[in-house]
Amino acid sequence: MGGFTFPIVPRYAEIDQQGVVFNGHYLTWFDEALTGLLDHLEVTYPGLIASGYDLQVVHSEIDFLASVRWRDTVRVAVCCEHIGTTSFALGFTVLGSNPATPERPAVRGRNVYVVLSTADWAKRPVPEPLRSALSSVAAQ
């Protein structure tokens, strides 16, 4: 599941009328986990911007396996599944538990990111510091 996990506290406002986390919030959690991963790898998002790079999600997919409810204990495991010339893919596994249920995968997802220049918004090769950092959390 990769070498990094990001804790999430399901917020009351994220719960839908079925009593579970509304599906659209998982993409927000993936984005929060990406930012946490970059901080952990010391290739921060503000640092990327300062060096002239930005990231854009170009593809997302989500598979639902189990419900996540308010007050569940949740963490998002992140691993790098692929690094290409101008893009990379991260895999996300939302792990949830509560006093009645041991930790289990609740949601699996994947985002593909393209690296862009902040000067002209054109694709750029994945910068070497980011490539090296992502390689350290590559899927086994």
Side-chain angles (χ1 to χ4, degrees):
M1 258 183 250
F4 177 76
T5 62
F6 186 79
I8 295 284
V9 176
R11 293 164 282 268
Y12 181 80
E14 294 172 326
I15 307 305
D16 66 16
Q17 292 184 26
Q18 296 172 337
V20 299
V21 172
F22 178 72
N23 60 62
H25 292 294
Y26 292 110
L27 290 173
T28 299
W29 290 5
F30 294 173
D31 199 53
E32 291 176 25
L34 164 67
T35 302
L37 173 68
L38 293 176
D39 289 347
H40 172 75
L41 296 174
E42 299 180 354
V43 181
T44 66
Y45 187 73
L48 284 172
I49 297 294
S51 63
Y53 297 100
D54 203 349
L55 306 175
Q56 184 174 53
V57 176
V58 296
H59 177 81
S60 293
E61 53 191 67
I62 302 174
D63 293 308
F64 299 94
L65 309 170
S67 297
V68 174
R69 298 182 179 279
W70 185 51
R71 293 195 164 183
D72 280 358
T73 300
V74 177
R75 60 193 181 107
V76 180
V78 186
C79 67
C80 183
E81 295 183 346
H82 175 76
I83 305 172
T85 303
T86 61
S87 67
F88 60 94
L90 295 182
F92 301 93
T93 303
V94 176
L95 301 160
S97 66
N98 59 49
T101 307
E103 185 175 74
R104 80 275 183 226
V107 173
R108 286 202 175 97
R110 183 173 190 263
N111 280 351
V112 177
Y113 301 86
V114 169
V115 176
L116 304 170
S117 164
T118 57
D120 60 6
W121 301 106
K123 288 184 190 180
R124 293 291 188 268
V126 177
E128 190 51 43
L130 179 58
R131 179 179 295 279
S132 177
L134 292 171
S135 294
S136 75
V137 291
Q140 303 296 324

